[in-house]
Amino acid sequence: MSVIKTENLTYTYSIGTPFEKTAVDNVNLEIEEGALVGIIGHTGSGKSTLIQHFNGLVKPTSGKIYVEGQDIWAKETKLRDIRFKVGLVFQYPEYQIFEETVYKDIAFGPKNMGLPDEEIDRRIKETAELVGLHKENLYKSPFELSGGQKRRVAIAGVMAMEPKVLILDEPTAGLDPKGRDKILGQIKEYHQQKKTTVLLVSHSMEDVAKFADKILVMNKAKLFCYDDTPTVFKRADELANMGLAVPQITRVFNRLKQSGIDIRTDVYTTEFARKTILEYLEKRGGERA
Amino acid sequence: MQEKIITAQNVEFHYDNEYEENAPVKQVLKGVSLDIEKGSFTAILGHNGSGKSTIAKHFNAILLPCGGKVYVEGIDTADEEKLFDIRQHVGMVFQNPDNQIVATIVEEDVAFALENLGVNPDEMRERVDDALKSVGMYEYREHSPHQLSGGQKQRVAIAGIIAMRPDCIVLDEPTAMLDPKGRREVLKTIRRLNRDYGITIVLITHYMDEAAQADRIVVMDGGTIIMDDVPKEVFSNVETMKKIGLDVPQVTELMYLMGEAGLPSDTHIIDENECVEALLKLLK
Amino acid sequence: MLKDITIGQYFPGNSVIHRLDPRFKIIITGVFIAMLFTADNFMGLGIGMIFLLVSFLLSQIPFKLMLKSLKPIIPIIIFTSILNLFFLDGVVLFKLGFIKVTYEGLRTSAFMIIRIVALIMGSSLLTYTTSPITLTDAIERLLSPLKKLKFPVHELAMMMTIALRFIPTLIEETDKIMSAQKARGADMESGSLLQRAKALTPILIPLFVSAFRRAEELALAMECRCYQGGDGRTRLRQLHSTGADFFALGISIVFFDIVILLNCLLG
């Protein structure tokens, strides 16, 4: 069952002015429950606008959007409920923290949902652990924490709503390699534990490659493709033409192929690259023998 | 022997704990010694908390050492009287593109430093135009800042420093908040300023693909320098880099993994071309 | 959406009025206001209106915009006219029950309405044809003699400039924070006034925290560019007054004199 579905989804802003621009152009999409999706696209490709349609923050100019089969813009639908189902973590989420303690800030979402206190307490403790926050930090002021910790508080705040779909817009923005690996690791664990759908918008194809099962590519407001990771990487040169930075290792293998080596090019992690080389050498060795 | 523009001697630094009188202080810099040569392009690489930003802030007297000394063009940074001299020799560009732009029009912001220094309007005009041209933002001189992209804003910030005609520019994680296009723009600008205008560049970063473009990489961890060499040598120490939480180029990592599997490999390979060559030799 | 709000709406153009030196424009607006409040007969007010209308025509600002500037003050106009129309004593013109309209009431009412309308339209003309930053510059230069009296002219102008620079940025940030809190179920539309005020906390606190951080970073960046207050500062943009500016000022003074003259003749 698709958890998010769009039909001819289009969004144009500043209609009628000289600044009119279509940010999302006729997107038809079905995202299955439990998928771990990486969303990539050049700046201005429409990916940020697209994800804001999924939780009803932006209303489409035309077309429809269904969450768990429900038309979110139908009269009967309460948008607030949709926002509890589809949790969206914005870029640099640490800048939206406002409560006196970490505990209270994470509680904001669940409180708005009208949950009982014990339930809220359980969720806070669970998500704090998921994102790697120590229990002592729960009762501190969030403003005493480091940038990376604050970000995890913000992510926990959305996870605590136990949404069916968790969308994160560039969760690794501004983090150093260690911080980046940590957060991606925690998100992957969350996905494995909770089996919810996770969408991750990223500029780094390396991150997306390591981490996502499926990749959604936006290009100039249009949906370019939505496929599993290896399939998408087979089209690496098309991605490069769109201005996306294909992983270094993928470029290397593409060039090897161009130079006449009969080797696969859907290689995007170093471990897989080594494996591919070893296999190639074995095969060649076998043929020679 | 190249002239040294910045010299750090055994710099020690800790922040005073404002809340508790006798709380143990966290030593951020534990005896850092470093020379920056005129005209060079140095990258200071390290994870967050390694002390890289802290040492950078000593280079134009934003911070003063608790122990040791820092000299800029022979001037002791602790000399209060010479503060403006120091800041005209060493300019600083920060991480947040928005929080460096003070005027409502691009060219006025670029002129800000010159206005502060009382430069006369005609000379100002010339220097502002030159600075904007050197970063490729001359056509945007009458735009307002919020119409610009992140990369463009950073280039305006750089122009604002260039207008002062500094010998050296220190950039503290200038691309951390930018998208890939913005990062490329800023790196291109920095390289051009170093190559064509001879400006000394000190780039603080945690992106190894940026550090790889420098002549020299200084790797910091836990408040000390643990490596100081050309990119090839630094990245070939794959294990050390990974241990301290830093990346190496994918091709270098591949070489390392191949070495582990007993295949012929050279971890001094840090760029795509060399890797393709090496693999072609191996696979043909 | 919040981005559509602009303070002191400015419409770029190349008309005669746009090109006048902003210092002169401010002074001329002052003279115009003086005209409005000195005149004590309708002829005098009429002269002021002529001055205003000619200026508007020269500025090439569309008539629609001219009227738009009056929209916010319509309640004030109605309120004032009602007060004066029905509650001023004097020669009664007609009666309806206990509501009476006097000649004095009618006259005062009309007088005040014309004054308010002219005042608002005149100020709008100034802001329509002069960008906020140019106005700030002009005010700084006009007030600079006050520096001798230790009045913080430069500091005020710097504050205004930075405020103007950050307004669009802060509006964008407010938008983002609102979206982020809405995404966590914040409800800012429903509920009593008190509830809605409380719902602003998740927006205001992050904004304030961010504003302080910005201020700190900006101050550091300014210091790195040798900022040291207003002493010894030169400016990139110079204001040059031309013959046209003096001419315009002269015309406004002539009109003002006519108003005074009319006061004496008809008074």
Side-chain angles (χ1 to χ4, degrees), chain A residues 176, chain B residues 8 11-15 26-34 44-59 63 92 170 172-173 202-206 218-226 244 246:
Chain A
D176 64 9
Chain B
V11 173
E12 283 186 42
F13 186 81
H14 61 264
Y15 285 102
K26 180 164 181 254
Q27 199 65 10
V28 182
L29 294 176
K30 301 175 184 163
V32 173
S33 295
L34 181 57
I44 303 187
L45 191 62
H47 65 77
N48 290 344
S50 57
K52 61 188 193 304
S53 288
T54 314
I55 188 66
K57 291 189 178 135
H58 281 79
F59 292 165
L63 296 175
M92 188 107 169
V170 177
D172 188 359
E173 304 208 46
V202 180
L203 174 67
I204 318 297
T205 184
H206 60 244
V218 173
V219 180
M220 288 191 66
D221 186 48
T224 54
I225 297 177
I226 60 166
I244 61 173
L246 290 175

Side-chain angles (χ1 to χ4, degrees), chain A residues 52 55 57 80 83-84 88 90 95-98 105-106 108-109 112 143 158 161, chain C residues 173 176-187 201-202 205-207 209 213:
Chain A
Q52 288 187 64
N55 77 338
L57 275 179
R80 254 178 117 212
R83 290 179 193 152
F84 297 135
L88 176 52
F90 281 86
Y95 294 153
Q96 80 206 38
I97 293 180
F98 70 95
D105 200 271
I106 300 179
F108 185 63
N112 286 327
F143 299 107
V158 176
M161 301 196 300
Chain C
E173 186 164 6
K176 275 199 202 136
I177 295 177
M178 276 175 60
S179 295
Q181 309 300 25
K182 279 207 277 201
R184 289 160 78 190
D187 188 359
T201 316
I205 296 194
L207 252 185
V209 171
R213 193 179 35 90

